[in-house]
Amino acid sequence: MEQRKRQSEMRRGYLVGCVFAVLLWTVASAQLRYSISEEVNEGTVVGNIARDLGLDKNTLKDRKYRIVSSNADPLFYVNPNDGVLYVSRKIDREEVCAQSSACVINVKTVLENPLEVHYARVEVLDINDHSPSFQDNQTTLEISESVLPGTRFQLKAARDQDSGQFSVQQYKLSNNDHFRLEIKDKGDDGKIPILVVQKSLDREAAGSHVLSLTALDGGKPPKSSEMNILVNVLDVNDNAPAFSKDDYSVTLNENTPLGTIVIQVNAIDLDDGPNGDVVYSFGKSINQKDLNFFAISPLTGELSVKGLINYEEREKYEIEIQASDKGMAPLTTEKSVKIKIVDLNDNAPEIEVTSFSSSIPEDSRPGTTVALISVNDLDSGLNGKVICFVGEDVPFALSPSLQDKMFSLVTKSPLDREKQSQYELTITAKDAGQPPLSSEKTISVTVSDVNDNRPEFSLSPYTFYVIEGNSPGASVFSVNASDRDENDNARISYHIIRDGSEENKVTSFLNINSENGEILALKSFDFESLKTFQFQVVASDSGTPSLSNNVTVNVFILDQNDNAPVILYPLSSNGSAQGVEEIPRNVNAGHLVTKVRAYDADIGYNGWLLFSLQEVTDHSLFALDRYTGQIRTLRSFTETDEAEHKLVILVKDNGNVSLSATATVIVKLVEPKEAFAASDVKSTAKDDEDSNVIFYLMITLGAVSVLFLISIIVLIAMQCSKSTDYTSKYLPETNYDGTLCHSIQYRSGEKRYMLVGPRMSIGSTIVPVPGSHANTLVLPDRRRTSGEVRDIKSFYFILRNKHISIHEFMMA
């Protein structure tokens, strides 16, 4: 029956505790507050923190809701899925909070991304799970029979590990006629039982008295403990020692060396002999823990330091000192010595990184939180006042938070990984004590890369020279770009811009390796058909979004000696390089017999032609100019000289591997009359040809004039419609190779010929290449148009010298 009552009372206590927890939960404050009774089972719900904070389940899961605790075996845990706070193990309030009046545990919870810290205060409510206990089961008092009624004797108090209402609340003394009980309330030190003489003692009537002292706590039903008191009645010793001061108070610095005298008390007994000799001791009500810190000299009354005094453990002490005489029935007097501990700056601040993001993107805005820093100093006052800072030469700063001694490590300026990707941050905490104490903590912050740099080419523009006749599919050149970013943001791919325009059609024969920028030509280049071209390559990184850059590539084709000389004269009717020349027998030495004409499609040394006699019937009759190809007589002819002579002329270029062609000239010696007749026939044909040439020349002049006027009108219109900065919009001429060469094609019979020279413009004139003596024709560049008619006439005379009619040239 009694057990059921106890269970009912415990349930009622739990119910009251739960109601009290709900009331605390509903109070609006800056922090969440909960309460729970001690000794509850593991898994007991404390409260729903997420609901009280207004957080949904998705937020809890995505932001990794958790408890931050430095204890290896925390008292509470939170469910990250629903935010409910549970008890992780049974809580013994007396173990956690000793005998503190209020047992409050701070629970720190964290939400990641972004970082948020919330605090919950959980008060552990005491239950009556301990009984009061006396240090000794029996105590003996020796009281003189001469004591007067009202004399007081302080007894040892009972101790209860519970606190508040469940600690010792009252004492009861067994029924007797001579003594009564009084209770002295000492606040935090509990209630002290005092035995008061109620009726004079008579040793002859009763030499001793046996009493029972019962201590009861505030539980329902209360728990109790008993101590037996044996009172021995002694003979008269009627003067008790008296202290010289009514109040003893002293201040003592923490960490005072052992053996230091704290204070000396003094008591006087008016009796004589042993009844007047005073000895000192600690009172019976002293806390047993205090005996570890202080000692008293029985003879002198000096109170000295016995153990290490620490302000952070206890701020003040109240020591009961008892003065007793040496009479047969000793009289005692007790006096409290109040000791106030003075705090010294003996604790350096402690730095704790509660939540830390070791990597932060370089595009983070100033003010982005990197870590949460909590600082604690066990000292008090200025000694416990802490300032926290980080170095000034880093783009980070510490920002104080609303919570005391909490700081946020934030970015204070933009970050650039390409300048610095790693920071070793030293956080310094310093208190305001004298001298100040400080501590440091170093954390490493990595700046992660974002795609904020475009690829950069090593050159801009690129210029490459490619020898004609390259192997199709082989690499001809390569471009290279670099990116200051890293990983995918620096992984570069290349491609050629192909816009399908006429100017960019060459790119269809190019291919680029997207990984290394190596460019391959899918066909061989021919200098005679393509001398230069231009295209653009784009380099793109693999970041998100991707960044790119482009570069212009200029390609110049270099000439090779791949064209053999072509004989322009002599040419017979069937196209073979063979001609017949008739000269009179009476010509003198140095007479011009004929001139071998040839050209080479190559340029430079590859197109520079040299003439030599490969075969001749009589070396004494004819000579060949090696540069001009002119054949002249060396002497006059005699009657003994043959009438027909065969000359084979070798024409070769100056390439590294020379190419050549041969021409055959048959020289016939005729009588002077026959030669004059042939000359008249040629003159008549020449006059007819000149009349035809004049007709075609007039047509050509008219056409060129009309084209010139149209070109001027178009240029003026373009200048008016476009900005002045137009030169960069046009690519160089695709046939430009750096030598200002150009070619003109024409036909003669079944053969097709090409005159190679500088690039032509309006007013250009065809002139012989220096050193070639008009065998290879070139067109020097002239920018003026005033000499147009003169240039065309020059062109006509050159064609005439080459035995090419204007009609043949126009048909080509």
Side-chain angles (χ1 to χ4, degrees):
M1 188 71 176
E2 185 177 354
Q3 185 176 2
R4 289 180 181 176
K5 287 183 179 180
R6 288 185 178 180
Q7 291 178 351
S8 176
E9 291 295 329
M10 289 180 68
R11 292 193 190 100
R12 192 176 302 162
Y14 290 150
L15 180 60
V16 170
C18 292
V19 171
F20 184 68
V22 172
L23 290 176
L24 285 176
W25 176 48
T26 56
V27 175
S29 65
Q31 290 182 325
L32 301 176
R33 296 176 181 270
Y34 304 96
S35 63
I36 190 169
S37 298
E38 66 171 330
E39 301 295 338
V40 296
N41 294 328
E42 178 181 350
T44 300
V45 175
V46 179
N48 192 328
I49 298 179
R51 181 186 62 197
D52 297 340
L53 293 175
L55 302 173
D56 56 25
K57 294 182 178 180
N58 292 331
T59 301
L60 295 175
K61 185 177 294 185
D62 295 342
R63 297 179 65 184
K64 300 179 182 178
Y65 189 57
R66 58 188 175 87
I67 287 180
V68 178
S69 175
S70 58
N71 194 345
D73 187 13
L75 300 176
F76 304 95
Y77 73 94
V78 67
N79 189 329
N81 296 320
D82 56 13
V84 176
L85 184 66
Y86 297 91
V87 176
S88 60
R89 59 183 175 87
K90 282 191 175 183
I91 301 174
D92 186 355
R93 184 185 182 281
E94 288 70 40
E95 177 185 352
V96 175
C97 300
Q99 291 184 338
S100 300
S101 58
C103 183
V104 177
I105 300 173
N106 288 319
V107 178
K108 185 190 304 180
T109 63
V110 173
L111 284 168
E112 303 280 355
N113 301 320
L115 295 173
E116 276 184 52
V117 177
H118 297 281
Y119 291 86
R121 294 170 61 89
V122 180
E123 182 178 7
V124 180
L125 303 177
D126 193 22
I127 63 173
N128 193 19
D129 57 342
H130 295 88
S131 298
S133 63
F134 289 94
Q135 184 177 355
D136 300 314
N137 293 330
Q138 180 174 330
T139 185
T140 300
L141 297 177
E142 294 182 344
I143 302 175
S144 173
E145 63 178 346
S146 62
V147 296
L148 299 175
T151 303
R152 303 154 63 89
F153 298 91
Q154 184 169 309
L155 303 176
K156 289 185 178 181
R159 297 297 176 186
D160 195 332
Q161 294 186 35
D162 296 323
S163 64
Q165 64 177 354
F166 299 125
S167 62
V168 176
Q169 298 296 316
Q170 60 177 325
Y171 293 90
K172 292 183 178 180
L173 187 65
S174 59
N175 294 329
N176 66 91
D177 295 329
H178 294 86
F179 301 92
R180 63 181 175 85
L181 190 66
E182 287 184 1
I183 306 299
K184 179 182 179 181
D185 192 349
K186 294 188 67 175
D188 292 340
D189 290 334
K191 294 178 172 59
I192 308 299
I194 299 175
L195 188 65
V196 181
V197 177
Q198 183 174 283
K199 183 180 178 181
S200 298
L201 300 176
D202 186 358
R203 181 181 177 277
E204 288 69 27
S208 64
H209 301 269
V210 178
L211 307 174
S212 177
L213 179 65
T214 303
L216 297 95
D217 61 20
K220 294 183 179 180
K223 294 184 177 182
S224 62
S225 178
E226 291 185 353
M227 180 181 69
N228 293 324
I229 303 173
L230 177 60
V231 179
N232 294 322
V233 181
L234 303 177
D235 203 5
V236 175
N237 180 17
D238 55 353
N239 287 290
F243 285 93
S244 59
K245 292 183 179 180
D246 294 334
D247 182 41
Y248 287 96
S249 297
V250 68
T251 59
L252 179 66
N253 292 334
E254 65 172 331
N255 302 326
T256 298
L258 303 184
T260 300
I261 304 300
V262 180
I263 195 173
Q264 183 177 14
V265 297
N266 183 40
I268 299 174
D269 194 316
L270 297 177
D271 293 326
D272 291 332
N275 292 333
D277 295 335
V278 178
V279 292
Y280 302 93
S281 63
F282 288 115
K284 296 179 179 179
S285 62
I286 189 173
N287 191 328
Q288 294 299 311
K289 293 182 180 180
D290 295 344
L291 297 178
N292 298 324
F293 300 102
F294 299 99
I296 191 168
S297 172
L299 299 178
T300 63
E302 292 177 342
L303 185 66
S304 61
V305 177
K306 179 182 178 182
L308 182 62
I309 306 299
N310 190 353
Y311 174 87
E312 287 70 40
E313 293 181 0
R314 192 165 176 181
E315 300 178 8
K316 61 182 180 179
Y317 293 88
E318 188 172 350
I319 307 297
E320 296 288 342
I321 296 179
Q322 178 178 279
S324 303
D325 58 28
K326 296 181 179 180
M328 292 298 295
L331 298 179
T332 62
T333 303
E334 290 191 355
K335 185 66 68 174
S336 293
V337 177
K338 296 178 181 179
I339 303 173
K340 183 179 180 181
I341 307 301
V342 178
D343 183 36
L344 299 179
N345 192 23
D346 61 340
N347 291 281
E350 297 177 356
I351 303 173
E352 179 186 2
V353 180
T354 58
S355 189
F356 174 47
S357 297
S358 59
S359 179
I360 181 169
E362 62 176 318
D363 61 348
S364 299
R365 295 181 178 179
T368 301
T369 301
V370 179
L372 295 180
I373 310 296
S374 61
V375 182
N376 186 38
D377 195 316
L378 298 177
D379 296 320
S380 62
L382 290 178
N383 296 332
K385 187 73 68 176
V386 179
I387 58 173
C388 196
F389 56 90
V390 70
E392 295 182 355
D393 57 342
V394 294
F396 298 91
L398 285 176
S399 174
S401 63
L402 296 177
Q403 186 71 24
D404 188 28
K405 296 183 180 179
M406 285 290 298
F407 300 87
S408 298
L409 180 64
V410 298
T411 57
K412 69 177 181 181
S413 60
L415 304 175
D416 188 351
R417 187 202 66 83
E418 287 69 39
K419 292 183 178 178
Q420 187 168 352
S421 60
Q422 189 84 12
Y423 290 92
E424 297 295 329
L425 303 180
T426 300
I427 300 170
T428 303
K430 184 177 181 180
D431 60 29
Q434 290 298 329
L437 299 179
S438 62
S439 59
E440 294 181 348
K441 191 175 187 69
T442 301
I443 62 175
S444 179
V445 178
T446 301
V447 180
S448 61
D449 185 45
V450 297
N451 194 22
D452 58 347
N453 289 281
R454 297 179 181 274
E456 296 292 337
F457 284 94
S458 57
L459 292 175
S460 181
Y462 279 95
T463 300
F464 296 105
Y465 297 89
V466 180
I467 299 176
E468 65 173 333
N470 55 290
S471 300
S475 173
V476 288
F477 44 79
S478 64
V479 297
N480 180 56
S482 60
D483 197 311
R484 296 175 62 196
D485 297 318
E486 64 178 0
N487 300 327
D488 287 344
N489 295 333
R491 188 173 294 112
I492 298 175
S493 60
Y494 304 86
H495 72 274
I496 297 174
I497 296 179
R498 309 178 194 272
D499 55 9
S501 64
E502 185 67 21
E503 295 179 350
N504 206 18
K505 64 181 181 179
V506 181
T507 58
S508 60
F509 301 105
L510 299 176
N511 195 10
I512 188 169
N513 188 318
S514 61
E515 294 182 357
N516 58 24
E518 187 173 299
I519 299 175
L520 296 81
L522 304 181
K523 73 165 189 176
S524 295
F525 296 114
D526 184 10
F527 173 82
E528 286 69 38
S529 59
L530 179 65
K531 293 179 175 55
T532 182
F533 62 92
Q534 183 185 76
F535 63 96
Q536 288 190 321
V537 175
V538 177
S540 303
D541 58 32
S542 301
T544 303
S546 177
L547 300 178
S548 62
N549 202 353
N550 59 353
V551 69
T552 299
V553 180
N554 297 310
V555 181
F556 296 93
I557 310 302
L558 301 179
D559 183 42
Q560 286 197 110
N561 191 24
D562 58 346
N563 290 280
V566 176
I567 304 298
L568 296 179
Y569 180 83
L571 286 176
S572 63
S573 58
N574 61 1
S576 62
Q578 183 174 344
V580 178
E581 294 290 339
E582 294 181 352
I583 60 173
R585 273 185 175 270
N586 59 351
V587 296
N588 296 321
H591 176 75
L592 177 62
V593 178
T594 187
K595 183 176 182 179
V596 178
R597 294 175 176 85
Y599 88 97
D600 195 314
D602 296 321
I603 66 169
Y605 284 100
N606 295 330
W608 186 9
L609 301 182
L610 296 176
F611 301 85
S612 63
L613 279 174
Q614 189 177 20
E615 182 181 341
V616 62
T617 55
D618 190 345
H619 289 282
S620 65
L621 286 177
F622 303 99
L624 175 67
D625 191 309
R626 65 176 304 181
Y627 298 109
T628 64
Q630 292 180 350
I631 301 174
R632 295 181 180 271
T633 58
L634 290 176
R635 61 178 176 82
S636 300
F637 294 99
T638 64
E639 293 295 334
T640 60
D641 291 329
E642 296 181 2
E644 184 175 313
H645 297 271
K646 179 181 179 182
L647 286 74
V648 178
I649 294 92
L650 176 66
V651 183
K652 65 177 182 179
D653 56 30
N654 273 306
N656 289 332
V657 179
S658 297
L659 301 179
S660 62
T662 58
T664 302
V665 177
I666 304 297
V667 180
K668 292 183 179 182
L669 304 181
V670 297
E671 295 303 323
K673 293 181 179 179
E674 295 177 4
F676 291 145
S679 175
D680 292 339
V681 172
K682 289 182 180 180
S683 176
T684 303
K686 181 178 179 182
D687 292 338
D688 293 338
E689 183 179 354
D690 288 344
S691 62
N692 291 333
V693 167
I694 292 173
F695 174 74
Y696 290 121
L697 181 59
M698 293 176 64
I699 295 176
T700 303
L701 286 173
V704 170
S705 299
V706 172
L707 291 175
F708 174 72
L709 292 175
I710 294 174
S711 300
I712 292 298
I713 294 172
V714 170
L715 287 174
I716 293 173
M718 291 174 64
Q719 290 288 345
C720 295
S721 62
K722 294 185 179 180
S723 64
T724 57
D725 188 16
Y726 64 90
T727 55
S728 62
K729 299 180 181 178
Y730 296 94
L731 296 174
E733 183 181 333
T734 57
N735 285 336
Y736 177 70
D737 65 348
T739 60
L740 299 178
C741 286
H742 197 73
S743 62
I744 300 176
Q745 297 181 357
Y746 64 92
R747 292 182 185 275
S748 177
E750 297 297 323
K751 297 291 184 177
R752 184 171 182 172
Y753 303 98
M754 178 181 292
L755 302 180
V756 180
R759 182 175 52 176
M760 292 184 65
S761 64
I762 299 174
S764 296
T765 304
I766 303 174
V767 297
V769 175
S772 66
H773 296 277
N775 290 299
T776 299
L777 303 180
V778 296
L779 301 176
D781 187 13
R782 295 189 180 180
R783 302 299 178 185
R784 298 187 303 273
T785 60
S786 61
E788 180 183 0
V789 176
R790 182 180 69 252
D791 295 339
I792 293 175
K793 289 181 179 180
S794 300
F795 183 69
Y796 157 70
F797 287 118
I798 291 171
L799 293 180
R800 186 175 179 181
N801 289 335
K802 296 294 183 178
H803 299 278
I804 301 170
S805 67
I806 292 296
H807 175 71
E808 289 177 334
F809 179 74
M810 296 299 291
M811 291 301 291

